[in-house]
Amino acid sequence: MRSQCIWTPCEVLTPLSFKPSTFFTFSFSKQLLLPDKSIAAISSTRRGISSYPSLMASSPSLKDAVSTQNESTQKTQQPLQVAKRLEKFKTTIFTQMSSLAIKHGAINLGQGFPNFDGPEFVKEAAIQAIKDGKNQYARGYGVPDFSSAIAERFKKDTGLVVDPEKEITVTSGCTEAIAATMLGLINPGDEVILFAPFYDSYEATLSMAGAKIKCITLHPPDFAVPIDELKSAITQDTRAVLINTPHNPTGKMFSREELSTIASLCIENDVLVFTDEVYDKLAFELDHISMASLPGMYERTVTLNSLGKTFSLTGWKIGWAIAPPHLTWGVRQAHSFLTFATSTPMQWAAAVALRAPESYYVELKRDYMAKKEILVEGLKAVGFKVFPSSGTYFVVVDHTPFGLENDIAFCEYLIKEVGVVAIPTSVFYLNPEDGKNLVRFTFCKDEGTLRAAVDRMKEKLKRK
């Protein structure tokens, strides 16, 4: 017996036009009989049901529905809608600048993703995991072997022994680890201290959590922590301090003295610390210090990290959070309802990555130091004032010698007239005025690309 179906018109938004298009769902019924091939034809096409006259004739109600739907496509497009907690946030600056780069054929030294691929042994491990059938949902908080690899790596780096079953949560990138931490441990009205400039997702996820944000600005040339200001900022209402070291966008690395002072203040005032350490393997002038490793801090610290920066695999979106059980509980509760689980084969491959020999990290640092030198020396030759970068793959410069009114105007000029992309840093501040003189370049590109970008700037960018 042939399948008997009734079609119900519904609307979806097509990604390009954002105009309603007619698609149809069907359920088994005795109300309408269609040949099997007609079902296949209609269900596999993007044309509306009005393209099938016989079907329209057999169902006046469908004809009326299609007519009404067609009229709706002619109505004025409705204004975009967003919850109040997110209405201040626009399309991310990284998306905007990358789009402009494509439009103008500019060399993208803006968004922090490498233009070269990750190591073959890690990619081969992912391929093998897929072939081995490791393709279904992973355990919510992580594939056991990957969690163990994270614990092993953390012990090598910090000397701390953690329980992979109770203290590690695998997430879809560090950005999700950040979101899960904020949503799982911060209540509406809780006060959280940030150091500006800061990675833009911090403010957005804190807004989702309903937090009250206090901001302490780090100023060039060394972006040192103003300790007295921090002491005044921490109160009995402070729930957490969020640290990023090595620091995006400045390349600053928090010194042991700064971290110890922050730790003492947090212990004294019973404050948590969330520490974003995704650039921990890109530490050049100083050794990276994990806040959790300082005396008395593991019990109040959530350490956030990821695979992408260290292994040039940013598209895999593999991250994790390390915390004592009483804090891991909140992180996992939020994670369960954000993504539930992270890509299974990629976790198996990530376990192989984290067990790479130390020689991998030595070579990684050497390669990035060479890239950094090309960019820094080139920027100085062009005429920028370049601020020290001790870690990450970013460099912040003062653009004012070139006479543009602010960082956004400068970056637009740089893209359209010079053919190079940088990121305006004002988007990393609560008060954009604090960043109007600074822009950020990245050197996570091959050496040829870096030299080509420097050559364009030397040729077309003139001091005023």
Side-chain angles (χ1 to χ4, degrees):
M1 179 178 176
R2 292 177 295 177
S3 300
Q4 295 176 310
C5 301
I6 183 166
W7 291 84
T8 306
C10 60
E11 291 184 358
V12 300
L13 293 179
T14 62
L16 295 179
S17 66
F18 295 98
K19 295 179 180 179
S21 299
T22 305
F23 283 75
F24 296 89
T25 59
F26 61 93
S27 57
F28 289 102
S29 168
K30 294 184 178 179
Q31 298 180 27
L32 178 63
L33 184 64
L34 294 175
D36 290 339
K37 63 174 63 178
S38 298
I39 295 173
I42 297 173
S43 64
S44 65
T45 185
R46 298 184 70 87
R47 288 182 288 164
I49 197 167
S50 58
S51 302
Y52 298 88
S54 60
L55 182 56
M56 294 283 287
S58 68
S59 180
S61 62
L62 284 180
K63 183 175 181 180
D64 292 341
V66 171
S67 176
T68 300
Q69 194 270 330
N70 287 339
E71 291 174 6
S72 72
T73 65
Q74 300 172 12
K75 293 181 180 178
T76 303
Q77 183 172 322
Q78 295 297 309
L80 300 176
Q81 298 186 31
V82 65
K84 290 185 180 297
R85 61 183 174 272
L86 291 175
E87 64 185 2
K88 70 167 285 188
F89 301 102
K90 311 300 181 185
T91 303
T92 71
I93 193 66
F94 309 108
T95 299
Q96 294 176 42
M97 291 298 156
S98 293
S99 296
L100 282 173
I102 294 170
K103 180 178 179 181
H104 294 278
I107 298 173
N108 194 345
L109 301 188
Q111 193 168 1
F113 60 85
N115 69 340
F116 47 86
D117 218 350
E120 289 298 320
F121 75 94
V122 183
K123 293 187 290 183
E124 289 298 325
I127 293 169
Q128 191 60 51
I130 293 170
K131 289 181 176 178
D132 289 345
K134 295 170 180 174
N135 299 305
Q136 306 309 320
Y137 288 131
R139 185 178 63 172
Y141 53 91
V143 168
D145 188 54
F146 182 37
S147 296
S148 295
I150 294 169
E152 293 163 14
R153 185 75 250 172
F154 197 59
K155 182 181 178 182
K156 285 183 180 179
D157 293 340
T158 67
L160 295 171
V161 176
V162 298
D163 185 342
E165 292 298 304
K166 298 179 180 178
E167 299 177 287
I168 293 174
T169 306
V170 175
T171 59
S172 296
C174 190
T175 300
E176 195 226 330
I178 292 164
T181 299
M182 307 303 184
L183 296 172
L185 295 173
I186 298 298
N187 289 308
D190 281 352
E191 189 177 274
V192 178
I193 294 176
L194 300 182
F195 294 99
F198 49 77
Y199 177 49
D200 61 350
S201 83
Y202 298 163
E203 183 186 3
T205 52
L206 285 170
S207 295
M208 291 184 216
K212 177 183 177 183
I213 299 173
K214 267 190 180 179
C215 200
I216 294 175
T217 301
L218 308 178
H219 297 282
D222 58 357
F223 299 97
V225 176
I227 297 300
D228 289 340
E229 186 179 345
L230 177 62
K231 289 179 179 178
S232 299
I234 293 181
T235 70
Q236 62 181 7
D237 297 323
T238 305
R239 170 66 169 164
V241 176
L242 177 53
I243 296 171
N244 174 209
T245 183
H247 183 257
N248 174 16
T250 68
K252 168 192 171 57
M253 293 186 63
F254 282 64
S255 68
R256 182 174 292 276
E257 181 181 0
E258 288 173 330
L259 292 173
S260 296
T261 301
I262 295 169
S264 296
L265 290 170
C266 289
I267 292 171
E268 179 183 341
N269 294 279
D270 192 22
V271 172
L272 301 178
V273 175
F274 306 147
T275 176
D276 176 351
E277 301 182 8
V278 295
Y279 299 100
D280 62 337
K281 296 303 180 187
L282 298 177
F284 306 120
E285 277 80 36
L286 300 172
D287 290 332
H288 170 72
I289 301 169
S290 182
M291 176 63 89
S293 68
L294 298 184
M297 286 307 296
Y298 181 74
E299 289 302 309
R300 63 180 63 252
T301 301
V302 181
T303 303
L304 308 164
N305 212 322
S306 75
L307 188 81
K309 306 299 189 296
T310 303
F311 291 91
S312 302
L313 296 165
T314 59
W316 286 20
K317 297 297 291 180
I318 302 292
W320 57 88
I322 302 174
H326 67 283
L327 298 180
T328 290
W329 173 248
V331 175
R332 287 186 179 180
Q333 286 295 93
H335 166 68
S336 294
F337 299 105
L338 286 171
T339 60
F340 172 66
T342 295
S343 171
T344 302
M346 301 312 183
Q347 288 191 60
W348 283 98
V352 173
L354 291 190
R355 294 185 175 114
E358 291 304 309
S359 59
Y360 173 81
Y361 300 101
V362 172
E363 183 177 349
L364 177 77
K365 185 181 293 188
R366 183 174 62 246
D367 287 349
Y368 268 115
M369 288 183 73
K371 297 176 191 298
K372 177 187 171 185
E373 183 177 5
I374 292 170
L375 181 61
V376 169
E377 294 307 313
L379 292 171
K380 287 179 180 178
V382 170
F384 289 101
K385 181 178 181 180
V386 182
F387 298 112
S389 173
S390 299
T392 75
Y393 42 51
F394 301 117
V395 174
V396 167
V397 303
D398 185 334
H399 68 81
T400 56
F402 301 97
L404 278 298
E405 60 180 327
N406 57 45
D407 57 328
I408 293 176
F410 175 80
C411 286
E412 289 180 349
Y413 177 86
L414 191 68
I415 291 173
K416 295 175 183 178
E417 303 300 328
V418 181
V420 175
V421 181
I423 294 292
T425 66
S426 58
V427 300
F428 301 126
Y429 293 82
L430 283 186
N431 178 13
E433 284 292 304
D434 290 338
K436 70 177 183 178
N437 293 336
L438 308 176
V439 297
R440 188 195 80 179
F441 290 94
T442 183
F443 51 90
C444 59
K445 311 297 177 182
D446 63 78
E447 294 186 7
T449 298
L450 295 171
R451 294 185 193 280
V454 168
D455 288 344
R456 286 189 183 186
M457 288 187 280
K458 285 181 178 179
E459 178 185 355
K460 299 180 180 180
L461 193 58
K462 306 300 180 184
R463 294 171 66 105
K464 294 182 180 179

